[in-house]
Amino acid sequence: MTGFEAANTHSLALQRTVEEQFKVINCTLPELTVTEVFKRQTTIHRHVQVFMDVLDQLEEFYNNLNTIDELCHVVLPMHIDTKTTYRVFKYNQKVFLKISLHPLQPEAVDLVFIGPTKQVAELREIYNEKQDEWDPECNVYTNLLRIFDIIAFPMRPTEQVDDGTNNEENCGICMGYRDDQNRIPIISCDNDKCSLIFHIDCLKEWFSTQRESKKFFTISIGHCPYCKHKISSSFEGMITLSA
């Protein structure tokens, strides 16, 4: 048996093939892991043994994600499961971090910044300059705190008010906190003095009504509905991310 405490949250379903072998038809492990470790297995015994061995190897991966879930205000994915390898969480009122982890390579961390251009550029520069200070003995959460020289990331409120009374958290277009897909506002403009933030779909629809809005490859560029400062975003990437 595996020593990983979360093993009882996982399952593996196999199907016998015409060659008297077995293939995975359903598994709670991340897709990347399934592709890598099961492709050469044939018998039930080998599949189960590999499955249990991989669970042990994934302990650090899941511990890192669990720590972020507990200590950060995670906004995406909306429904967290054992297959998801990323988290999007708040850095401050207008900036969000998207962190992706490789299940079998804990040191492989991909970090994306979402927010106003200036703030994102400053944070990216700090991160790039301090990546060499990453301590493999510490978890991902602790390393991020050290790199950005902060005490903690914003945590999820114990009770989130969704009735439109918290104006700073609400979408500047529809005025609501959650959209019809239960997503919160995550995109803001480049004006430091503008506190508005927008739902992905609301802003995409707003851009579609503006003649001056442009698109370069996957990046859409338009203007804030209120202060008229620039907003740029990859809507396709963000919508796929939040699906």
Side-chain angles (χ1 to χ4, degrees):
M1 293 295 290
T2 176
F4 183 26
E5 294 180 357
N8 59 358
T9 65
H10 289 271
S11 62
L12 173 69
L14 303 174
Q15 182 181 61
R16 185 190 293 271
T17 66
V18 292
E19 295 85 7
E20 296 299 317
Q21 297 180 350
F22 292 85
K23 66 177 182 179
V24 177
I25 59 172
N26 189 31
C27 183
T28 54
L29 300 178
E31 292 296 334
L32 180 60
T33 305
V34 174
T35 302
E36 289 184 0
V37 303
F38 287 115
K39 57 185 177 182
R40 289 187 296 273
Q41 310 308 323
T42 56
T43 67
I44 289 181
H45 175 76
R46 281 300 303 155
H47 274 93
V48 173
Q49 185 60 54
V50 168
F51 180 70
M52 302 302 285
D53 290 344
V54 169
L55 279 179
D56 276 334
Q57 296 176 46
L58 292 177
E59 180 173 6
E60 183 175 352
F61 164 75
Y62 283 121
N63 284 343
N64 276 316
L65 290 180
N66 288 340
T67 300
I68 292 173
D69 292 337
E70 293 174 3
L71 300 180
C72 300
H73 186 172
V74 175
V75 299
L76 293 173
M78 289 303 306
H79 304 290
I80 294 174
D81 57 34
T82 55
K83 293 185 176 183
T84 309
T85 61
Y86 77 91
R87 296 291 188 269
V88 177
F89 57 96
K90 278 192 172 185
Y91 179 85
N92 59 31
Q93 186 65 30
K94 299 181 72 172
V95 177
F96 296 80
L97 305 185
K98 178 201 171 187
I99 189 165
S100 301
L101 306 179
H102 190 293
L104 298 177
Q105 299 175 22
E107 71 283 358
V109 177
D110 181 54
L111 191 63
V112 175
F113 301 90
I114 304 167
T117 304
K118 182 179 179 181
Q119 291 189 51
V120 164
E122 291 173 349
L123 289 173
R124 186 180 293 116
E125 183 177 1
I126 292 172
Y127 182 69
N128 290 338
E129 288 179 351
K130 293 188 175 182
Q131 280 193 68
D132 292 341
E133 299 179 17
W134 192 278
D135 185 353
E137 298 299 319
C138 296
N139 63 22
V140 170
Y141 177 83
T142 301
N143 272 299
L144 291 177
L145 293 182
R146 293 173 58 182
I147 285 177
F148 295 116
D149 194 22
I150 57 178
I151 298 176
F153 291 103
M155 295 183 67
R156 180 183 297 277
T158 53
E159 293 185 6
Q160 180 63 59
V161 178
D162 292 354
D163 59 3
T165 58
N166 189 356
N167 293 330
E168 290 187 355
E169 296 283 343
N170 293 346
C171 174
I173 296 176
C174 74
M175 304 303 173
Y177 181 68
R178 294 192 181 275
D179 63 12
D180 56 3
Q181 298 186 52
N182 207 32
R183 298 176 301 197
I184 73 169
I186 196 174
I187 303 178
S188 54
C189 76
D190 285 350
N191 183 1
D192 292 337
K193 297 181 180 180
C194 180
S195 62
L196 296 180
I197 194 165
F198 308 97
H199 289 125
I200 299 167
D201 285 338
C202 290
L203 193 63
K204 183 179 181 181
E205 184 176 354
W206 165 258
F207 277 11
S208 69
T209 66
Q210 306 303 301
R211 297 180 60 182
E212 67 271 19
S213 296
K214 301 177 181 179
K215 185 173 182 179
F216 297 95
F217 298 101
T218 62
I219 304 298
S220 297
I221 300 175
H223 296 90
C224 176
Y226 292 88
C227 72
K228 306 305 179 184
H229 271 65
K230 184 187 75 173
I231 303 179
S232 60
S233 178
S234 174
F235 288 122
E236 288 77 7
M238 292 297 295
I239 290 173
T240 300
L241 175 65
S242 56

